[in-house]
């Protein structure tokens, strides 16, 4: 039996959903209701729940924010968001927070059950991904790589790197699948990885004991393969400027200049500058700076790298200059950004401690 929590600040909406779900018999069971995101998070902490059906707009805490906290607390809980707004911005947030499905108000009963059944399938696969789950990962990764999509392939690798697995064997198997995938891609493009990286990979293998270390080998091979794909333009993109965007992403941490990008595109610096602004919508320097700050935010949150080291890795020669650039884009210094991120993580951990309660929108231990 699938246990469901209904979350909506309107009782009538919950009542209708409860009746629709109850019409299916014993397959699904509504085990609780909540009026806002705070109550939903508290309920999930204290009760056994498989799926949360939650409105997006609620007082005290939105459905999206509650979804993020619930997923961080227990990624195995399925979340279906209900929204009256069919817009692109919502879809972006839904993807960001790894939501499983969404419904638009009003929804027909058959659409509700389709969303429930789809979410149940995802939950079961996540609990035991097995061979089919790994094959899906392999297919997605190889699709990005074979199409020469360095940006999406790189983001996919970062996401997998952050995933938590139930066992070391599962971690090892997933890393192995991705490693096999990138080697297959290398063969597809006729890239001799062994010739180019044999000594470097062998040295890493000699000291590799953890998944992190094996993942480094995967990243070394991945970067080498895309060095060739991008530098030799092995893929025919539909839009010419796509070459430049992937080149920028690949060399983001290098001494990247307008001249080097224009040279790669084999056009004059002046013409490339005008073309870039026309097709991308902002000038080259602003685009590169925004990309570096975006990557800096990820590194600040996800790593313990000292900020001066982080600045150097992103191609800034001076930590003070990096701090000024970051503040101009993010509205705060890198150290302030890290402090806020750490405070937020701490608050979220407190949220799930026994005995917490909400007062005036804030959580008190």
């Amino acid at each position: 039996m699938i246990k469901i929590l209904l979350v909506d600040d309107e009782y009538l909406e919950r009542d209708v959903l409860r009746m629709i779900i109850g019409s299916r018999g014993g397959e699904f069971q509504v085990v609780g209701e909540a009026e806002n995101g705070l109550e939903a998070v508290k309920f999930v902490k204290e009760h056994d729940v498989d799926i949360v059906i939650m409105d997006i707009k609620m007082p005290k805490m939105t459905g999206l924010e509650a979804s993020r906290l619930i997923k961080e607390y227990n990624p195995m809980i399925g979340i279906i968001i209900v929204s009256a707004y069919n817009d692109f911005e919502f879809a972006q947030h839904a993807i960001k927070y790894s939501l499983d499905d969404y419904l638009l108000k009003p929804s027909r009963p058959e659409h509700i059950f389709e969303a429930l059944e789809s979410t149940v399938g995802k939950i079961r696969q996540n609990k035991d991904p097995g061979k089919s789950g790994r094959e899906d990962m392999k297919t997605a990764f190889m699709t990005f790589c074979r199409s020469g999509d360095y940006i999406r392939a790189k983001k996919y690798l970062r996401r997998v790197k952050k995933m938590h697995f139930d066992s070391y064997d599962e971690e090892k198997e997933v890393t192995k699948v991705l490693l096999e995938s990138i080697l297959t891609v290398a063969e597809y493009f006729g890239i001799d990885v062994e010739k180019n990286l044999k000594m470097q990979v062998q040295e890493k293998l000699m000291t590799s004991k953890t998944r992190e270390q094996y993942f480094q080998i995967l990243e070394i091979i991945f970067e080498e393969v895309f060095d060739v794909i991008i530098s030799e333009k092995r893929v025919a993109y539909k839009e010419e400027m796509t070459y430049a965007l992937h080149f920028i992403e690949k060399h983001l941490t290098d001494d990247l200049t307008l001249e080097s990008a224009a040279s790669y595109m084999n056009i004059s610096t002046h013409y490339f500058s005008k073309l870039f602004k026309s097709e991308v919508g902002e000038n080259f320097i602003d685009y590169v700076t925004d990309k570096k700050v975006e990557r800096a935010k990820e590194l600040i949150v996800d790593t313990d790298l000292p900020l001066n080291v982080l600045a150097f890795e992103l191609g800034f020669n001076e930590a003070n200059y990096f701090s000024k650039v970051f503040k101009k884009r993010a509205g705060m210094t890198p150290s302030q950004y890290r402090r806020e991120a750490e405070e937020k993580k701490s608050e979220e951990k407190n949220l799930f401690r026994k005995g917490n309660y909400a007062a005036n929108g804030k959580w008190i231990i």
Side-chain angles (χ1 to χ4, degrees):
M1 185 179 293
I2 301 299
K3 298 174 182 177
I4 299 171
L5 170 66
L6 302 179
V7 189
D8 198 308
D9 58 324
E10 295 183 24
Y11 173 79
L12 185 59
E13 296 284 350
R14 302 198 309 271
D15 197 36
V16 171
L17 267 176
R18 191 186 330 104
M19 286 190 292
I20 291 172
I21 293 169
S23 69
R24 195 69 172 257
E27 185 179 353
F28 300 104
Q29 180 188 10
V30 175
V31 295
E33 297 180 25
E35 293 185 354
N36 56 63
L38 289 176
E39 289 183 9
V41 174
K42 188 173 186 293
F43 188 94
V44 164
K45 180 183 71 170
E46 297 173 348
H47 301 84
D48 187 16
V49 175
D50 297 305
I51 295 175
V52 178
I53 302 179
M54 182 155 46
D55 189 32
I56 190 173
K57 294 189 74 175
M58 295 181 293
K60 297 187 180 180
M61 180 183 285
T62 68
L64 287 176
E65 183 65 12
S67 298
R68 183 178 67 83
L69 293 173
I70 290 169
K71 280 290 188 181
E72 288 184 3
Y73 175 67
N74 184 355
M76 295 300 121
I77 293 176
I79 296 179
I80 301 171
I81 280 287
V82 181
S83 172
Y85 306 94
N86 187 11
D87 60 10
F88 180 66
E89 185 180 357
F90 165 72
Q92 284 182 310
H93 285 301
I95 293 168
K96 179 180 177 181
Y97 293 133
S98 302
L99 306 187
D100 299 284
D101 215 326
Y102 72 94
L103 295 165
L104 295 174
K105 292 182 180 180
S107 286
R108 290 176 171 273
E110 57 264 33
H111 294 158
I112 293 169
F113 287 115
E114 282 175 9
L116 283 169
E117 286 161 4
S118 171
T119 303
V120 168
K122 290 177 183 177
I123 292 170
R124 286 173 179 161
Q125 183 169 310
N126 286 338
K127 285 183 177 177
D128 183 19
K131 186 176 179 181
S132 63
R134 291 193 292 273
E135 283 301 316
D136 288 343
M137 293 179 75
K138 180 177 181 178
T139 301
F141 183 57
M142 285 185 67
T143 299
F144 297 146
C145 292
R146 283 191 173 190
S147 62
D149 197 334
Y150 176 76
I151 296 171
R152 292 178 73 186
K154 183 79 172 178
K155 286 182 178 178
Y156 188 83
L157 272 186
R158 287 177 189 153
R159 191 173 66 181
V160 174
K161 194 174 183 179
K162 292 180 188 177
M163 287 173 64
H164 297 287
F165 298 92
D166 293 333
S167 67
Y168 172 73
D169 286 340
E170 190 181 345
E171 288 182 355
K172 187 172 66 175
E173 192 62 32
V174 167
T175 309
K176 179 184 174 184
V177 164
L178 293 179
L179 188 54
E180 289 173 350
S181 301
I182 195 62
L183 290 172
T184 302
V185 171
E187 187 177 351
Y188 174 80
F189 282 105
I191 300 169
D192 192 345
V193 172
E194 185 177 1
K195 178 183 176 183
N196 295 354
L197 294 173
K198 187 174 182 180
M199 290 303 296
Q200 194 174 356
V201 170
Q202 282 181 343
E203 288 172 9
K204 285 283 183 185
L205 281 172
M206 288 176 66
T207 58
S208 292
K209 295 179 181 178
T210 66
R211 175 183 177 244
E212 177 73 23
Q213 290 167 325
Y214 280 112
F215 213 92
Q216 285 177 3
I217 296 171
L218 168 60
E219 288 174 319
I220 289 170
I221 296 174
F222 172 80
E223 294 296 342
E224 173 64 23
V225 168
F226 268 98
D227 266 340
V228 177
I229 292 173
I230 292 172
S231 65
E232 298 183 8
K233 298 183 180 177
R234 296 280 184 98
V235 176
Y237 300 122
K238 290 181 181 179
E239 303 292 336
E240 192 73 13
M241 191 53 66
T242 306
Y243 287 104
L245 297 181
H246 286 296
F247 177 83
I248 290 167
E249 192 75 26
K250 185 74 182 72
H251 297 278
L252 198 60
T253 58
D254 300 338
D255 185 19
L256 184 63
T257 63
L258 179 66
E259 289 75 18
S260 63
S263 175
Y264 169 72
M265 295 294 288
N266 200 28
I267 55 181
S268 73
T269 303
H270 178 69
Y271 179 65
F272 174 70
S273 179
K274 289 180 67 177
L275 188 66
F276 191 92
K277 177 70 181 290
S278 171
E279 296 195 14
V280 179
E282 60 181 324
N283 66 48
F284 177 84
I285 297 297
D286 286 341
Y287 178 85
V288 170
T289 303
D290 286 341
K291 281 288 181 181
K292 288 193 176 192
V293 170
E294 183 182 310
R295 180 65 182 134
K297 287 179 179 178
E298 293 177 4
L299 292 171
I300 288 169
V301 174
D302 296 335
T303 73
D304 296 322
L305 279 175
L307 295 176
N308 60 331
V309 174
L310 190 149
F312 182 75
E313 287 207 356
L314 287 168
F316 291 91
N317 293 326
E318 295 182 8
N320 287 340
Y321 177 64
F322 164 65
S323 183
K324 287 179 183 177
V325 170
F326 188 95
K327 185 176 182 179
K328 185 177 180 181
R329 287 325 199 260
M332 63 182 78
T333 65
S335 56
Q336 288 171 333
Y337 190 86
R338 174 167 277 172
R339 187 160 55 248
E340 281 203 4
E342 289 171 350
E343 287 173 357
K344 193 169 186 179
K345 285 180 183 177
S346 179
E347 286 174 6
E348 289 168 6
K349 286 179 182 177
N350 289 338
L351 179 63
F352 299 110
R353 288 181 186 169
K354 287 281 186 181
N356 282 9
Y357 61 93
N360 299 322
K362 294 184 179 180
W363 287 91
I364 301 173
I365 300 173

